[in-house]
Amino acid sequence: MMLTAQPRSTALSSEIQHVLTVRAPEIITGGRRKFMSKRSILQVKAVIQSGNNKKTANTVEKSAEESKMVSSGKSGNLDVRAVITLRKKMKEKITDKIEDQWESLMNGIGRGILIQLISEDIDPVTKSGKIAESYVRGWLSKPSDHPYIVEYAADFRVPRDFGRPGAIIITNFLDKEIHLVQIVVHNFNEGPIFFSANTWIHSRKDNPESRIIFQNQAYLPSETPPGIKDLRREDLLIIRGTGKGERKLHERIYDYDVYNELGNPDKSEDLARPLIGGKERPYPRRCRTGRSPTKTDPLAESRIEKPHPVYVPRDETFEEIKQNTFSAGRLKALLHNLVPLIAATLSSSDIPFTNFSDIDKLYNDGFELNDDEHSQKNKFLSDTLDKVFSVSKRLLKYEIPAIIKRDRFAWLRDNEFARQALAGVNPVNIELLREFPIVSKLDPAVYGPPDSAITRDLIEQELNGLTVEEAIEDKRLFILDYHDMLLPFIGKMNSLPGRKAYASRTLLFHTSRGILKPIIVELSLPPTPSSPRNKRIFTHGHDSTSHWIWNLAKAHVCSNDAGIHQLVNHWLRTHACMEPYIIATHRHLSSMHPIYKLLHPHMRYTLEINALARQSLINGGGVIEACFSPGRYSMEISSAAYKSMWRFDMEALPSDLIRRGMAVEDPSMPLEVKLVIEDYPYAADGLLIWSAIKEYVESYVEHYYSEPNSVTSDVELQGWWNEIKNKGHPDKKDEPWWPKLVTKEDLSGILTIMIWIASGQHAAINFGQYPFGGYVPNRPTLMRKLIPREDDPSYENFILHPEFTFLASLPTQLQATKVMAVQDTLSTHSADEEYLHQVHELQRFSLNDHEVLKISERFCAKLEEIEHTINQRNKDNRLKNRSGAGIPPYELLLPTSGPGVTCRGIPNSISI
């Protein structure tokens, strides 16, 4: 029967308001995702056994009506109403609008969406949860305060002893998928019962299985109400899939695979790439897509090239506002690439920067073709450019990067070079020098004598009277060491056109005035018969020639730093390593599991951005290969780093700082660690964020795991951790350093690492990419020339034109603009970003637990205090690495941010 629409409850309005304000400041985004699978209850199987035909629908409706009539003749019944909130597309095509009308018609006659309430109580006859079902009805959707939100109702008559609904099974008989925001069930004694969803519900024509949504209540597996136990188990089984077949875009199956789709051997032999993941090239696993193998290589998976989407489970995809933000970035990248590409075509080569004014034009003028050049081109190209220019010339200009906005010459100074090792976009590679002489761990039979060319005499010339031993004992010497990581690849890298690189070591000295400065750079090439110690030493000089040579040496170090940052610290240690945690969480932790609810905000959009990276950034011929020194060997270097240095337990910030010698254990300090360099902005602010996350997680875990053996008896949790090791990181599954999962302390430690990686760690090394890397000389991503020697033919030209030699060694204009466009996109916060300080709001609509809400409130209050502390630190003129003339404040670990390139803000998840 149809009932007239009734006013929404205050609670329902609050939920919608949350979606409109917290989740997207201006427009609805619906990014939260709860994952539901097929039902297992015998009573409802008839609904899903055949196609969406009239006979089946009529049978189901008749059965539902008869059930109501029978129950109404007994002792008493309840009339309950489920209010269903759907989100419409923001941008609708004509076909979408027609489908909307069809949706309204089908719902009006009760043929569109079937809702089934499943009780937490057992039906004594069926031995499973009691069930009540009804179609969504109403000729018109209920008016909403927002144009993208529509509401429908489904009415039920249930026995008074039905019990509390614990799950809802929803079947979509419409011809298109729908986005379900939430369902609220009214008129039970407990008051409104919320089923938060924010998920896509596939059409039954795509998949006959229905979807399960559990109410906003967290249950450990052993505490699951008996009526929904089977649904909990079946939900996880369908999410895991069978490991077979190609995944369809509407599916929500999570499984593992190796990186076997980075190359495209069918397109070109030059685009073939080795498999990443396995004994030879170990790596974390990615989300399986199941595409067919290539014709050329049966071990390689065929590629889906842009603009076609790569499969990720349906609710992992970007919502519309995120798509719009990312598409705008891609458009900007297209424009930035298009114009220099045309310029390169006109000159028959990709041209270098010839003077610093060429770089300044990127920000002041942008790229424009002259009118006479327009007239010489074909009409299609001219028309295309005319459209581009008529849309917005601003798109052809870059914003001035933060690193030169206050002081355009800061990048030239040694103290700024060193400062960025502590407060730049890659502050995680600097280490304390603890032993001398410096010795390589590489095989001397292959890579030459292991001793560094950095001698005691060279160092002590820079130590203001200290000996090397005294400086080491006083913890005053530091090193950026990319020697062993890069030297095995340098020969292959330098064989690539337009690439010339060294393996580098950089020694830095912390002065008595608290200033860090670089003192020696060692650049190494693979040994040759004539030069078994193929190493060069550079120090900052006092004459013009040595000054320019020193700047070239620093540029090579920056190029190495940029490559290791992108391929190891950014991609591998955050994006790639987070992916198996997310897959395992969905496969083993029910959406009712408290740990799932804790981790859920920290998994948003990561699989999608990783899939896009595999498609366009780290793939064969992609932006990283085209614009960074390692070229086609990029992912092999990333794999080698994973093999030699990645450890889960060392991803904890305090452990990493101690491992690098940047902190020492100190029981008197809050986290029992003390920084070796107090003015280390990344570490100082990071420890504040780490401590807040740790406290939050420990309180949360204590709330759910207060009973003895509750961690070891949690079958879902144990399966989750075992799979992370054995399937997510199988190439390292036997390492002894994996934490045990026995106590609540073990669990808290594991979860703190994961949440830190997804939030603070990623923010610190991602959102400064354009502010620091947008000025090419400050952070070149590759070098195209070796440093000239006195006996080189090019040396005379260097003496005559040192500026040109320097600029000609940097990336070309096309390479630079490609990288800048990508860095600009990766540094941009979307308008629907969800930040760490919003955890309380997110938990409030996924958990019905007042104690957890108090815990999250305390966490958010702590983050507000931290933000104040960081702002105060940035005003402290004693902290030279974050304040001073021309020095940008260190804000990368400030919790809050607005949209855009802000160089601040900690999102909950790796969302870009």
Side-chain angles (χ1 to χ4, degrees), residues 30 38 99 132 187 219 302 387 411 447 465 484 504 540 563 722 740 788 790 825 844:
K38 71 176 184 178
E99 287 178 345
N187 295 344
Y219 292 110
S302 56
K387 290 178 182 178
W411 66 276
Y447 300 104
D484 287 10
S504 63
H540 55 88
N722 287 333
K740 306 295 182 185
E790 290 187 16
T825 300
R844 190 157 63 92

Side-chain angles (χ1 to χ4, degrees), residues 438-459:
I438 303 167
V439 179
S440 170
K441 296 179 181 178
L442 297 175
D443 184 355
V446 178
Y447 300 104
D451 287 358
S452 167
I454 300 175
T455 64
R456 181 185 306 275
D457 289 342
L458 283 170
I459 298 174

Side-chain angles (χ1 to χ4, degrees), residues 356 403-404 407-418 420 518 540 547-552 554-555 558 775 777-779 802-803 806-807 810:
F356 285 95
I403 191 59
I404 60 166
D407 182 355
R408 64 176 300 183
F409 300 109
W411 66 276
L412 271 170
R413 290 194 287 273
D414 286 352
N415 63 337
E416 178 60 25
F417 172 92
Q420 290 183 32
H540 55 88
H547 173 76
W548 276 107
I549 292 287
W550 174 244
N551 284 331
L552 281 168
K554 289 193 299 179
C558 288
Y775 188 67
N778 181 65
R779 196 167 176 78
E803 177 184 328
F806 181 85
L807 291 171
L810 301 182

Side-chain angles (χ1 to χ4, degrees), residues 259-274 276 301 303-306 499 567 611-627 630-636 818:
Y259 284 68
N260 60 352
E261 28 75 280
L262 299 178
N264 195 346
D266 288 348
K267 185 176 182 180
S268 167
E269 183 179 343
D270 191 52
L271 291 177
R273 294 294 180 271
I276 304 294
E301 186 174 274
R303 283 184 56 77
I304 297 290
E305 301 292 355
K306 57 183 180 182
R499 299 284 204 288
L567 294 168
L612 290 168
R614 297 198 307 271
Q615 190 177 41
S616 303
L617 295 180
I618 62 171
N619 60 302
V623 172
I624 300 299
E625 288 194 0
C627 303
R632 64 181 298 152
Y633 306 104
S634 293
M635 286 300 288
E636 293 182 57
K818 277 185 177 181

